[in-house]
Amino acid sequence: MRTSRNSSAIIGAGLALSLTLAGCGGGGDDDSATEDVAAPTLETSAELEELISAAQEENCLTVYGAPDETILKAVTDAFTEQYDVPVSFIRLVSADLTQRFSTEAEAGAQAADVILLTSSPFYADALSKGWLQPVDEAETPAFPGEFPEEYTADDGATPVVSLVPTEMVYNSDLLEEAPDSWEAYGDPANKGELLFAEPTSSPANLSFWALMREEYGDEFLEAVAANEPTWYNSAVPATQGVAAGEGALGFPGVAAIVASLQGSGAPVESAVLAPTTGPEIALGLSADSPCQNAGKLFANYLLSEEGNTYFNEVSDAISPYAENVTDFVRPTPVPEAEAAEIRSLLGAP
């Protein structure tokens, strides 16, 4: 049950999540989501030592990533600690990073050595245009190696490095208890309380609503529409709105975003519900960037079992190396006709 809204709940600039960040290993001040996870020390080999030496000679690495900046900071800091290679990163939502990377590649001015974006047809397109090199041909010691084959795309050229389960975001000042079902989105008591990322803002969001349609039927999506959601272009502003008390429930819930806001004292929580799906983060290697060897070394770090497990522990996500993954339904492409139906049923733009 919803409690009364506190008009002073609007959260100030301290809660703003930066959408861009650059600098060597730069990041925010809140590391609470990552400080309890110990970074691994990867074993070396003659093959790896040669790559390390070449990367250190370049002495640079630029990463474009969709994961939250606290995650990128933790992983790039751990990488720099082990290999003494400085890292700059830029964090944007996948759609914006895709556009930036594509614009630079078309101009023959690739800046990113590594990209970490939501798995999508972008990777196949970029491979076909020669903007990305197939990771399975980059001769990194960890890949293909023992990396789980089922978590690759584009005939093995694109590895999926993280499974990010969608959760339900809620404001703990506005709700007396955590929702226990996705059906809360369609509860008439929550009319005017829904802050949602647009269903077509990412392939993972479409997959989620396709799963909800399969699980609960068209009536559920129509009930959500009747609750008049406020639509945003991504999870970040939607979650910020919930944190600020502008609505009681949000979608999609991303653990790292929630953790960042909690670190600033926001009354925002996430409920882990089943079934669920979510974005899969894939890794790409630029074909013509300034620091090729450092890019391969970083890819090797994230594709090794130790490095990949660390990456997913700090992001509260699921590693492809994890065993017995349950309740996570891997996203599949949603046909355009079905996407249009989902938008219509939800009353989305």
Side-chain angles (χ1 to χ4, degrees):
M1 180 181 297
R2 190 188 192 286
T3 62
S4 60
R5 184 188 304 275
N6 183 344
S7 61
S8 65
I10 302 302
I11 308 299
L15 284 180
L17 293 181
S18 171
L19 291 184
T20 62
L21 183 142
C24 294
D29 294 329
D30 173 35
D31 297 325
S32 59
T34 61
E35 62 186 7
D36 295 331
V37 182
T41 299
L42 273 62
E43 293 185 5
T44 189
S45 65
E47 182 183 10
L48 187 55
E49 284 293 341
E50 185 175 338
L51 182 58
I52 293 169
S53 178
Q56 290 175 338
E57 185 173 342
E58 290 173 339
N59 198 41
C60 57
L61 174 64
T62 299
V63 176
Y64 283 5
D68 186 76
E69 65 183 59
T70 57
I71 298 166
L72 293 174
K73 173 175 168 52
V75 174
T76 55
D77 280 356
F79 173 81
T80 298
E81 178 69 21
Q82 172 144 9
Y83 297 120
D84 195 28
V85 175
V87 185
S88 297
F89 66 82
I90 291 176
R91 191 271 163 183
L92 292 168
V93 297
S94 285
D96 292 343
L97 276 181
T98 297
Q99 179 61 47
R100 178 169 181 153
F101 182 90
S102 299
T103 299
E104 292 171 349
E106 286 176 341
Q110 288 190 336
D113 304 294
V114 178
I115 58 172
L116 296 169
L117 311 175
T118 303
S119 181
S120 72
F122 161 77
Y123 282 92
D125 183 56
L127 286 163
S128 69
K129 292 176 178 176
W131 297 347
L132 294 177
Q133 58 178 304
V135 181
D136 59 342
E137 297 177 8
E139 298 182 349
T140 60
F143 190 80
E146 297 182 0
F147 190 87
E149 185 177 359
E150 64 270 27
Y151 290 103
T152 61
D154 306 321
D155 296 324
T158 305
V160 171
V161 295
S162 183
L163 317 178
V164 187
T166 296
E167 301 174 357
M168 179 184 284
V169 177
Y170 68 97
N171 185 300
S172 55
D173 281 354
L174 302 181
L175 294 181
E176 294 179 348
E177 57 186 24
D180 60 5
S181 169
W182 296 114
E183 292 173 291
Y185 285 151
D187 187 336
N190 291 317
K191 185 172 183 177
E193 299 293 340
L194 308 182
L195 307 183
F196 285 0
E198 295 174 5
T200 54
S201 61
S202 84
N205 289 347
L206 267 177
S207 291
F208 173 84
W209 289 113
L211 177 63
M212 293 298 99
R213 187 184 191 187
E214 180 180 341
E215 187 76 8
Y216 301 116
D218 288 357
E219 296 80 5
F220 171 61
L221 273 62
E222 291 170 339
V224 173
N227 280 339
E228 301 177 353
T230 299
W231 298 99
Y232 296 84
N233 67 354
S234 76
V236 173
T239 308
Q240 288 176 319
V242 173
E246 297 167 8
L249 296 174
F251 167 84
V254 180
I257 298 173
V258 171
S260 290
L261 291 164
Q262 288 174 332
S264 298
V268 62
E269 302 283 347
S270 60
V272 181
L273 304 174
T276 191
T277 185
E280 295 186 339
I281 304 299
L283 181 147
L285 281 172
S286 296
D288 190 25
S289 61
C291 309
Q292 293 278 302
N293 292 300
K296 292 177 183 180
L297 184 61
F298 186 73
N300 189 77
Y301 187 86
L302 286 190
L303 293 168
S304 69
E305 183 169 3
E306 298 88 349
N308 188 269
T309 299
Y310 173 66
F311 175 54
N312 285 286
E313 284 179 346
V314 298
S315 59
D316 203 16
I318 302 169
S319 167
Y321 286 97
E323 296 181 358
N324 302 320
V325 176
T326 59
D327 294 329
F328 183 89
V329 179
R330 296 193 66 187
T332 55
V334 177
E336 287 187 15
E338 185 178 358
E341 291 172 358
I342 288 172
R343 280 203 321 273
S344 177
L345 289 166
L346 289 171

